């Protein structure tokens, strides 16, 4: 079998049968397209001709091209998944990539927004929303919910009105792997959502003739997309003095860290964030410990 059609079939498999997220499927498709081009440059067009040396050579060239450890690790995972699928389907006699090792990645601690800065940011948004501007009300509700719930940006954008339970203060989201979970949010987020849903959303919805069920709408009345949310959050975080954080995922990191700082159980935070592995959640305990050490070094006379 030629490499390009086998890659196309594999991407269909992970998207439709394995229910990988759209972002993960796109990343795998991009990785395997890069490998396909690399193999073609070396005269390899058939899956039977792909060997371990070629795969290692591709990862080495990826490293020399300046790609980061995480990207190379993902590329390794992409070809290993594809190779295993080919072997299971009898397209190759053995799993060629089974002995391909992923490079070890140095885990960096996530950037977060400190409590006083977060409070100031939310207070500023509420002040802007007070006169009733629809976009300002939307942004206030959007940031309050992201911080209150730790949602991924894709989960936030995928919310429909029926997914929000204002009585129970919960939202129903579809996370990675099409796994559904119910996430709570607090009173400030509830207040901002009520104001947005009752005052601003109808005004935004009136700007389009197409029925839209999304909670968060763009300026033209359609469903707000992840890129727009990223731009909104990035502009807000850029205004924080000395801040290095940017993007909606920063608010997810911040929510998790502040929960643990407040004494929340690690497994409860895992459930809230929708992490498949507790190990993924544990990185936030390191963030809290680093903050504790910094406070100790600053405050203790014999630190």
């Amino acid at each position: 079998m030629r490499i390009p059609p086998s890659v196309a079939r594999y991407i269909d498999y992970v998207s439709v049968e394995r229910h990988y997220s759209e972002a993960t499927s796109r990343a795998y498709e991009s990785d395997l397209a890069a490998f396909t081009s690399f193999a073609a440059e070396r005269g390899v067009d058939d899956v039977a001709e792909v060997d371990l040396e070629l795969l290692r050579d591709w990862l080495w060239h990826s490293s020399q091209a300046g790609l980061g450890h995480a990207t190379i690790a993902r590329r390794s995972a992409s070809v290993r998944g594809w190779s295993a699928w080919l072997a299971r389907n009898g397209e190759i006699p053995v799993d060629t990539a089974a002995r391909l090792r992923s490079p070890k990645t140095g885990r960096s601690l996530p950037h977060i927004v400190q409590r006083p800065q977060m409070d100031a940011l939310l207070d500023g948004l509420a002040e802007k929303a007070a006169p009733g501007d629809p976009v300002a009300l939307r942004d206030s509700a959007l940031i309050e919910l992201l911080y209150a719930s730790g949602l991924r940006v894709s989960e936030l954008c995928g919310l429909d009105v029926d997914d929000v339970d204002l009585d129970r203060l919960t939202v129903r989201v579809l996370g990675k792997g099409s796994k559904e979970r119910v996430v709570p949010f607090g009173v400030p987020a509830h207040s901002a959502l009520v104001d947005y849903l009752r005052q601003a959303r109808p005004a935004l919805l009136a700007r389009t003739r197409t029925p839209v069920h999304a909670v968060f709408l763009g300026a033209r009345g359609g469903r707000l997309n992840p890129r727009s949310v990223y731009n909104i959050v990035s502009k807000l975080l850029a205004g924080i003095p000395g801040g290095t954080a940017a993007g909606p995922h920063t608010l997810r990191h911040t929510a998790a860290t502040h929960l643990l700082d407040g004494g929340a159980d690690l497994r409860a935070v895992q459930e809230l964030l929708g992490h498949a592995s507790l190990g993924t959640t544990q990185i936030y305990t390191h963030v809290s410990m680093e903050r504790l050490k910094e406070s100790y070094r600053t405050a203790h006379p014999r630190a």
Side-chain angles (χ1 to χ4, degrees), residues 17-270:
E17 295 187 36
R18 294 295 303 276
H19 304 293
Y20 283 17
S21 69
E22 184 180 347
T24 301
S25 297
R26 282 200 309 267
Y28 276 32
E29 186 175 20
S30 174
D31 292 340
L32 292 172
F35 172 72
T36 300
S37 298
F38 181 84
E41 289 172 2
R42 282 146 186 80
V44 177
D45 187 55
D46 194 284
V47 295
E49 299 173 349
V50 175
D51 57 20
L52 188 58
E53 184 177 353
L54 179 68
L55 294 172
R56 286 172 174 167
D57 196 27
W58 176 56
L59 292 182
W60 183 83
H61 276 82
S62 298
S63 176
Q64 294 301 300
L67 297 183
H69 289 297
T71 302
I72 295 171
R74 194 197 64 217
R75 284 192 164 192
S76 176
S78 297
V79 292
R80 282 188 286 114
W82 171 62
S83 178
W85 175 80
L86 287 170
R88 284 197 305 271
N89 286 276
E91 300 295 343
I92 54 177
V94 294
D95 182 356
T96 308
R99 292 191 293 128
L100 186 68
R101 292 185 179 181
S102 298
K104 292 183 179 179
T105 59
R107 173 173 279 189
S108 59
L109 297 180
H111 295 297
I112 67 163
V113 181
Q114 303 299 327
R115 278 284 302 274
Q117 295 172 323
M118 198 69 225
D119 289 341
L121 176 65
L122 294 170
D123 289 345
L125 286 168
E127 187 176 337
K128 288 182 180 178
D133 176 69
V135 172
L137 283 165
R138 180 204 64 193
D139 290 352
S140 178
L142 184 151
I143 301 299
E144 282 279 10
L145 184 59
L146 277 175
Y147 174 56
S149 61
L151 294 183
R152 300 178 178 95
V153 64
S154 58
E155 295 169 346
L156 179 93
C157 294
L159 283 177
D160 288 338
V161 174
D162 291 342
D163 295 326
V164 180
D165 190 329
L166 292 173
D167 294 327
R168 291 187 172 87
L169 277 71
T170 60
V171 289
R172 184 178 65 248
V173 301
L174 197 64
K176 287 187 175 181
S178 297
K179 293 180 181 178
E180 187 177 277
R181 72 184 190 281
V182 175
V183 181
F185 55 84
V187 173
H190 175 271
S191 178
L193 275 169
V194 168
D195 289 344
Y196 164 70
L197 291 171
R198 292 179 180 173
Q199 301 177 45
R201 188 178 180 277
L204 294 173
L205 191 60
R207 299 176 185 181
T208 180
R209 296 180 181 179
T210 306
V212 182
H213 302 291
V215 172
F216 292 104
L217 308 178
R220 297 181 180 179
R223 183 183 293 271
L224 198 65
N225 60 55
R227 182 178 294 276
S228 296
V229 176
Y230 185 91
N231 290 336
I232 291 167
V233 177
S234 295
K235 287 178 182 177
L236 288 170
L237 297 183
I240 295 176
T244 57
H249 224 65
T250 295
L251 298 182
R252 181 171 162 87
H253 296 323
T254 301
T257 305
H258 289 178
L259 278 166
L260 289 171
D261 285 347
D265 178 73
L266 188 62
R267 290 200 176 274
V269 177
Q270 178 192 6

